[in-house]
Amino acid sequence: MELLGIILVPLAASLAALAWPDAKSRPLLLPAAAGVHTLLTLRLVAAPPAAAYGAWLSLDALGLLLLAVSSLVSLGCNIYGVAYLRGHSERDNRFFVACTLFMLSASSVVAVTRHLGLMWVAMEATTLAAAPLIHFQHSDRSLEATWKYLIMGGIGIGLALLGTYFLALAGAGNPEGYALHLDDLLALGPRLSVPWVKGAFVFILVGYGLKMGLSPLHSWKPDAYGEAPGMAGAALSAILTGCSFLGLLRAYQVCLAAGQVEFVRDLLVFMGLLSLLTAALFMLSQKDFKRLLAYSSVEHMGLLVLGLGIGGTGIFAALLHFVNNGLGKGLLFLTAGNIHRAYGDKTLNHVHGALRRVPVSATLFLVGAFAITGSPPFGLFISEFLLLTSAAGAGRWAVALSVAGLLGVIFIGMAGAALSVAQGEPPAKPLCQEQGESLLTTMVPAAFAVALLALGLYIPPWLMDRLGAAAALLGGTRP
Amino acid sequence: MDQISQLLLVATVFLGFALLGSSSMSGCVNLLALQGYCLSVLPFFLHHEEHSARAVLLAAGMAFLKGWLVPRILLHAIREVRIAREVEPLVGYVPSLLIGVVIVGLSVVLGQRLPLPPGNHSGLLVPISLATMMMGLFLTVSRLKALTQVIGYLVFENGIYLFGLLVFRETPWLLEMGILLDVFAAVFILGIVIQHISRQFDSIHTDKLTQLKE
């Protein structure tokens, strides 16, 4: 019942948005649908249903994790969206609202299906739904970003489909025919054909990794995140990347069952380190604070696959990090959007003194910048620390040391940029009405900040249980 | 039956070559449409016993979409934005064709190394699917105009579809419909973006899209 609800409610709201005649009241559909979605998700989190074997829609612990994060982030973004779209009343918001809701619906399908084919179809739907969000500004630059996103995303998703077919072929030896359901693939386990499983993982890593924005497949990401409105950037970096991460986790599960996990781990660690290195290099020289956030996303995606590659408690750390990263990106992109609006500019050379111009947003942006780089007492500190200790515990000292070093460099890049935005002389030109911050545009990021702080101080036992169950599916252990 | 399926597969790869060497935009679209038709009837001859309602429906959907609708959208875009009819490749036509030959050779070698499950599929299927994919990717990166990049992307998609025929009988039809629908939506959105690009820049050259870089 809830499973259908989380898919159909946003879908119906999305169709309603297309038909809704009044542009002023249309954005109200966003929080309404997301609110219902969150309520249904909370019910699922409170009492997770048992995953039905072989059903098209069935929720397991991993899907639940993605569902919970995307529901919370999209609720925040959609509440914020009401204020954002009110400030952009000159532009037609019909497709923006419809696509935001459609993306939520499609990402719910990704979370609640364990059929890898259906998952792919929904994944492609999320990819396409994001394109109008990136293009919302209708400028030369956003057009360029959209084009790059579509062509690269299209090829990435195509390669992921190829990887999915490979998985089907891997199970060809068994009498019941090809399998694309995760349950069937896991049941086949060691009987899966090894070369096809390996090939499938490589293609899925490249395909979904491109959508996650792992280096060296990340080149579309700074463009898309830089040009998309803040709320779309938050949705992209928490929901879209989360969906592709789940796709990767599914392939990992199959490799685990097939006994090929050693081969996979080295690949993941390599991609993770490369992403961290890329992020560190580009963040130091970045001149645009929204693009900076995109590289921060590359960094965190790298940390996720790194944790997966380390294994053991590293997997638990990666999943905890996934939750923290979603909240952190929500906080940062929404406040960055506020600052961008207050200055009409997002280059670090021109944006100074935000603490005086938009005090609440600038404070939250600073908090977010420190939180996302893993400073205590925020949630990301816990997950990154756990990741490092898992790497060290697994005897991978070289990995642990290089991660710590790169995180240090990234901290310098991020903190330097955030401080330069917050401090200094604000421009003399006074702020006009629609450029300022409102209760609505600061309340949501503040809520994300509080949640991040809470997760840094105390992880409730039920969350530990859910994360532990999810990590167990991937062969990970609770710390 | 086998001969017809071989013939269709060879035609697919020849059409790929023709696309690599073609200099006219609308010519490229027509070649793409022809490739779409070839692919849509292929399942009938590939799997002997498949004449179920589902197979017919799928073939019809495929022919309608890849043979008729998508080329129609692309031709419309060509007319609408009044693009010069020249393809303007980054890599010349003759080098492109030579690269095509290399791609086919590579695919044959690769195809032989893959451990295929036993079944009544043509031995040509995998190499030609790989070749079509690679040709599509090559077209996407080696052509300047937004529209030709889309054509390249669609050729790549065709290659993946060919690969999917290996697992054709087992995948539920709903899934295939979903995949087709996604492809259609992608082309539709790409078509809209092309129109925006042409309106904004008075050209559909992707080399105008260079403002965003490090």
Side-chain angles (χ1 to χ4, degrees), chain A residues 79-156:
Chain A
I79 294 174
Y80 177 95
V82 176
Y84 174 79
L85 291 172
R86 198 181 292 149
H88 288 81
S89 49
E90 78 285 355
R91 214 156 281 141
D92 186 18
N93 60 28
R94 187 182 300 266
F95 289 107
F96 189 83
V97 173
C99 287
T100 307
L101 290 167
F102 182 70
M103 196 164 97
L104 180 60
S105 170
S107 67
S108 305
V109 177
V110 174
V112 303
T113 187
R114 281 146 55 80
H115 190 288
L116 299 181
L118 180 61
M119 182 181 201
W120 182 88
V121 171
M123 196 87 78
E124 164 102 25
T126 59
T127 310
L128 294 174
L133 305 186
I134 300 171
H135 188 221
F136 184 64
Q137 309 280 355
H138 283 266
S139 64
D140 293 5
R141 297 168 59 96
S142 70
L143 196 59
E144 178 180 344
T146 314
W147 184 257
K148 285 185 183 164
Y149 167 78
L150 276 174
I151 289 290
M152 283 197 69
I155 287 172

Side-chain angles (χ1 to χ4, degrees), chain A residues 2-55:
Chain A
E2 283 95 352
L3 292 189
L4 276 180
I6 53 171
I7 297 167
L8 293 181
V9 168
L11 183 66
S14 156
L15 295 175
L18 283 179
W20 204 271
D22 178 32
K24 263 220 170 92
S25 56
R26 192 181 298 126
L28 290 175
L29 282 168
L30 290 172
V36 176
H37 188 273
T38 308
L39 283 179
L40 291 172
T41 305
L42 285 179
R43 282 182 59 126
L44 288 169
V45 174
Y53 188 90

Side-chain angles (χ1 to χ4, degrees), chain A residues 346-433:
Chain A
K346 56 192 176 74
T347 51
L348 291 173
N349 294 338
H350 297 125
V351 178
H352 299 295
L355 271 175
R356 276 196 265 170
R357 199 167 164 94
V358 274
V360 184
S361 300
T363 313
L364 287 170
F365 185 69
L366 267 183
V367 168
F370 281 100
I372 206 83
T373 43
S375 322
F378 298 99
L380 288 109
F381 171 72
I382 308 283
S383 48
E384 287 181 6
F385 188 72
L386 187 57
L387 200 96
L388 285 174
T389 49
S390 323
R396 298 196 170 216
W397 283 97
V399 173
L401 284 177
S402 32
V403 170
L406 289 170
L407 286 179
V409 176
I410 288 169
F411 177 80
I412 297 171
M414 190 77 193
L419 286 172
S420 138
V421 166
Q423 297 180 326
E425 269 312 298
K429 210 172 106 203
L431 207 61
C432 62
Q433 176 73 42

Side-chain angles (χ1 to χ4, degrees), chain A residues 140 144 147 178 196 291 295, chain B residues 115 149 170 200 209 214:
Chain A
D140 293 5
E144 178 180 344
W147 184 257
Y178 307 114
W196 287 110
R291 292 173 73 87
Y295 283 108
Chain B
Q149 291 186 342
E170 318 298 331
Q200 210 114 14
L209 302 176
E214 293 307 332

Side-chain angles (χ1 to χ4, degrees), chain B residues 114-129:
Chain B
L114 286 173
L116 277 184
N120 53 354
H121 44 70
S122 159
L124 279 176
L125 187 57
V126 171
I128 284 184
S129 132

